[in-house]
Amino acid sequence: MKPVIVVHGGAGRIFKDREEGARSGVTRAALKGYSILKQGGNALDAVEEAVTSMEDDPHFNAGCGSVLNEKGEVEMDAIIMDGKNLASGAVSAVKCIANPIKLARLVMEKTEHMLLTDHGANLFAKAMGVPEIPGEKLITERSRERWSKNLEPDSNPQEFKKDPGTVGAVAIDNEGNVACATSTGGLTNKLVGRVGDSACIGSGGYADNHVGASSTTGHGESMMKVVLARRLLYHMEQGMSPVEAADTALNYMKTRVGGLGGVIVVSNSGDWAARFSTKQMSWATVKDDQLQYGIYTGEIHTSSVAEALESK
């Protein structure tokens, strides 16, 4: 099986001055994940590495760069899933951790549970030797600014819900195993303790070697209502291609609950899709040593992996 990785940096509205950062961020993440796959590494390691790269990039709403809750704090959600045995680990409302996706993997591999939340997740992180960092280190100037603006009496909270909300990755490795990973800071000015789709298996992501792997982005509550990540894999089980399945699932979410978002998916045969119903979604994929990426509908830039690495 030829390895494939697909990543997204969030569906929504990406401002002009942040487009280039979003493009370079997703391509960097895809190349890092593909490098692991190319060397014979597994899909789980690849998606974890790709998402970690975006958590460390302040252009994205995950890790450093996460949006703030109503009290001006960062609370993050993440999930990782192994398509080989349907094992999964997730964390929600976690604070003061640089890379929630790494903690989610520890939940999967070091506990009998699938999801740890808030204080319990932080206690587990401490027990596992995961460094705690000051919450301030995760807050960017832009996140603080948007939080403050949303507190103003004449602000429109709906406008901020259009901002990109998640990062994610899906991959298939040489052995034919698939995996997914999704991480987010959630919604700007959300209630303390709010948990969206990203930590929820079947909504924020799903992976099954019998079908493929998916990761979602967009309005979390809408995706939870339709169990978006699992829904699109169901459509693939019924014979749809990844593109058809993604479009069908997104259209159902839009018509049934009025939700917008985006998805990335890779099938167990190595076919992939990156589709969205929002104005934009940053995405990138590497297959057959060829990198492709874009932000707008119909926008596809292509280069060889060698050229991409050289330019970086």
Side-chain angles (χ1 to χ4, degrees), residues 42-247:
N42 65 52
L44 265 179
D45 289 343
V47 295
E48 181 184 350
E49 179 64 26
V51 168
T52 297
S53 172
M54 291 184 283
E55 286 177 336
D56 292 340
D57 189 329
H59 282 94
F60 302 112
N61 177 15
C64 174
S66 290
V67 298
L68 310 185
N69 66 17
E70 61 179 353
K71 288 197 171 179
E73 301 169 330
V74 167
E75 290 184 316
M76 302 165 290
D77 306 335
I79 191 169
I80 192 166
M81 186 166 183
D82 185 352
K84 191 175 183 178
N85 56 7
L86 305 189
S88 177
V91 292
S92 66
V94 70
K95 300 173 184 173
C96 303
I97 299 290
N99 298 111
I101 199 64
K102 289 182 178 293
L103 187 58
R105 184 158 182 186
L106 286 170
V107 171
M108 179 177 76
E109 295 181 342
K110 303 294 184 183
T111 79
E112 294 180 2
H113 309 310
M114 289 177 67
L115 171 62
L116 294 180
T117 192
D118 196 12
H119 182 56
N122 282 96
L123 285 176
F124 174 68
K126 196 172 184 179
M128 289 291 105
V130 176
E132 186 173 304
I133 63 169
E136 287 292 317
K137 283 205 166 185
L138 297 172
I139 299 175
T140 62
E141 196 178 314
R142 184 172 186 273
S143 292
R144 173 90 62 195
E145 188 183 294
R146 295 180 80 68
W147 170 75
S148 301
K149 212 168 182 181
N150 221 2
L151 294 177
E152 294 170 7
D154 59 347
S155 73
N156 178 7
Q158 295 307 314
E159 276 302 298
F160 292 90
K161 287 181 181 176
K162 295 176 183 174
D163 290 353
T166 313
V167 302
V170 296
I172 186 166
D173 59 31
N174 290 329
E175 302 292 319
N177 295 313
V178 299
C180 72
T182 308
S183 181
T184 187
L187 293 174
T188 299
N189 294 67
K190 63 188 178 183
L191 292 178
V192 172
R194 178 264 185 186
V195 177
D197 66 292
S198 295
C200 300
I201 188 169
S203 293
Y206 202 82
D208 183 348
N209 279 7
H210 293 174
V211 198
S214 60
S215 172
T216 64
T217 170
H219 185 242
E221 281 71 10
S222 296
M223 290 185 282
M224 292 162 83
K225 287 174 184 176
V226 302
V227 199
L228 188 64
R230 186 63 184 92
R231 175 175 290 274
L232 81 89
L233 293 183
Y234 167 78
H235 291 316
M236 286 165 59
E237 285 175 313
Q238 304 307 304
M240 288 188 189
S241 69
V243 170
E244 290 171 327
D247 287 347

Side-chain angles (χ1 to χ4, degrees), residues 280-295:
Q280 294 147 290
M281 181 179 82
S282 55
W283 63 273
T285 183
V286 188
K287 180 178 181 179
D288 293 327
D289 289 327
Q290 189 176 65
L291 167 73
Q292 291 186 303
Y293 62 95
I295 285 184

Side-chain angles (χ1 to χ4, degrees), residues 226 248-260:
V226 302
T248 301
L250 285 169
N251 187 57
Y252 177 78
M253 183 171 74
K254 186 177 180 179
T255 55
R256 187 72 178 86
V257 297
L260 299 178

